[in-house]
Structure formats: structure tokens, C-alpha cells
Amino acid sequence: SQQGEEDPQALSIQEGENATMNCSYKTSINNLQWYRQNSGRGLVHLILIRSNEREKHSGRLRVTLDTSKKSSSLLITASRAADTASYFCATDVSLYNQGGKLIFGQGTELSVKP
Amino acid sequence: SAVISQKPSRDICQRGTSLTIQCQVDSQVTMMFWYRQQPGQSLTLIATANQGSEATYESGFVIDKFPISRPNLTFSTLTVSNMSPEDSSIYLCSVGLFATNEKLFFGSGTQLSVL
């Protein structure tokens, strides 16, 4: 069953603007990950934040995690047209921290206009 | 990292038939998973493919409908049996290399349409 809810469902911005996507979840997690999907095909891993971390950066990506609120946000700064894709959060709920059992959110469809 | 080859990339099938999807990885991996993505939806985990034993299915998915094999650490198959139009989805193989990290690598998916 889905446990991640993302908002907004769709986001349209101009190139150069920042894009913020939010994710909420329901159960305890080992970590939370963000993935990108182009044109409904294979997903690409963007960034992982562990349950004991609060913020992480990778290039133009910034992710935050608030375990008390069971929520996370992904910020893409200085967006480019090539960032147009669907973005999914995924929570790792594996038993015994074995890894790999991910529950995906509903996704945010980002459109960056040139 | 891991390179995943998933075949076929797409297929159009008749109701009542079965389709087997193959997932080949270029290195031995700890975990292999199968996901389904229905049109316009997110990904749902079907099962964990276990090497040398029966797959572990998630709620709502059963072995008779989605038999899975994993004969070794680099290969797995998912069969969609007795298909109906409701099975039209993208099916994705994913793998984890948990000796090094906890992220998943995904195949490019199989777009299945059932008429």
C-alpha cells in the first residue's frame, strides 16, 4: 500500500526558478530517497537521507527530513528545462534495515519551461 | 553501480495469455525487486525475488498470477499470467547493492498493453 503522499501533484515553473516538492509518510523509516522518472520509464536515484539526518545537499538538490512530522522536501535550485520529469519520494521500510523495500509516493510532475 | 537489461521493452498481448519479463544484471546483486506502475500512477512493489527460493509477495499480489524466478544472483523473471486489460502497466525490475549503498537501480521497464 502507498504510504507516501506528495504535493503538489504537478508543478510548472520557469527556467531559473526553484522547485520545491513535499512528501509525507506514515510509518517509521530507515531512510527516505528521491527518484526521478523521465517519460514513464526507468527511475534514477537522486539522493538519500537517513532517518537520523535532517538535511542533505547534492549539487542543485537539497533534501530535508523531519521525522517528527513524517515529512520531507526536495528543493531543486536554478531549475533547467532538462529537469522536467516526475519526481518520487520513497521510504525504506525494510525489516532489520536490510534495505530495498521501498514504498513510493504518488509523485510530483515537474515541468520547467524555457 | 549496476546496469540492468530488461526485456521486452514493450509488448501488446491478448487477454488470457501470459508474458514473461526478463531482468539481467551485469553484476551479482543482493536484492532484486519487481514493481508495477499503472498508467499515471506511482510504483507498487509486487515482490522480492529471492535467489534459490520462492519470492516474497506483497499484499494484493499472488504467486499464481505473478510467478517469479531467480535462479542466480544476476537474473530474474516475472511472468504476468492469464492477462486482462487491468494488467496493462509498466513493470520494472530493480536491484540493490547493499554492500555499498541502499539505493535501488532500475531497469528501463516493460510497457505492457493487454487487449
Side-chain angles (χ1 to χ4, degrees), chain A residues 29-35 45 47-53 56 90-94 96-102 104, chain B residues 30-31 33 35 94-106:
Chain A
I29 62 172
N30 300 314
N31 60 65
L32 186 144
Q33 305 177 33
W34 286 87
Y35 287 82
H45 181 270
I47 194 167
L48 178 153
I49 186 165
R50 302 186 192 285
S51 59
N52 61 353
E53 297 176 315
K56 208 161 185 181
T91 49
D92 186 334
V93 297
S94 308
Y96 313 117
N97 205 15
Q98 291 175 342
K101 182 171 178 178
L102 298 185
F104 281 82
Chain B
T30 312
M31 311 287 283
F33 306 91
Y35 284 85
S94 69
V95 304
L97 306 174
F98 296 108
T100 54
N101 58 56
E102 295 141 282
K103 67 182 183 183
L104 293 185
F105 298 88
F106 281 83

Side-chain angles (χ1 to χ4, degrees), chain B residues 25-82:
Chain B
V25 191
D26 68 341
S27 59
Q28 294 187 345
V29 295
T30 312
M31 311 287 283
M32 294 184 79
F33 306 91
W34 287 97
Y35 284 85
R36 180 177 75 180
Q37 186 176 27
Q38 294 177 300
Q41 301 296 314
S42 185
L43 284 76
T44 301
L45 179 62
I46 298 172
T48 302
N50 300 310
Q51 192 260 329
S53 64
E54 191 173 291
T56 304
Y57 290 85
E58 297 300 310
S59 176
F61 297 95
V62 295
I63 188 171
D64 290 346
K65 177 66 176 177
F66 297 102
I68 289 171
S69 77
R70 189 178 174 191
N72 55 52
L73 293 176
T74 64
F75 184 78
S76 177
T77 66
L78 167 73
T79 299
V80 185
S81 303
N82 188 25

Side-chain angles (χ1 to χ4, degrees), chain B residues 7-8 11 13 17-23 34 67 69 75-81 83 110 112:
Chain B
K7 297 178 182 179
D11 208 341
C13 300
T17 62
S18 298
L19 176 71
T20 295
I21 302 168
Q22 298 181 359
C23 178
W34 287 97
S69 77
F75 184 78
S76 177
T77 66
L78 167 73
T79 299
V80 185
S81 303
M83 288 183 284
T110 297
L112 171 62

Side-chain angles (χ1 to χ4, degrees), chain A residues 42-83:
Chain A
L43 279 74
V44 175
H45 181 270
L46 296 176
I47 194 167
L48 178 153
I49 186 165
R50 302 186 192 285
S51 59
N52 61 353
E53 297 176 315
R54 292 297 167 257
E55 185 172 316
K56 208 161 185 181
H57 297 255
S58 177
R60 293 185 296 114
L61 305 179
R62 171 179 171 261
V63 64
T64 62
L65 179 64
D66 187 336
T67 53
S68 66
K69 296 181 179 179
K70 291 186 167 56
S71 67
S72 173
S73 67
L74 174 69
L75 169 67
I76 303 174
T77 60
S79 64
R80 307 165 181 168
D83 293 329

Side-chain angles (χ1 to χ4, degrees), chain B residues 2-15:
Chain B
V3 177
I4 303 169
S5 174
Q6 190 173 333
K7 297 178 182 179
S9 60
R10 63 177 64 237
D11 208 341
I12 301 172
C13 300
Q14 296 296 320
R15 181 195 300 259

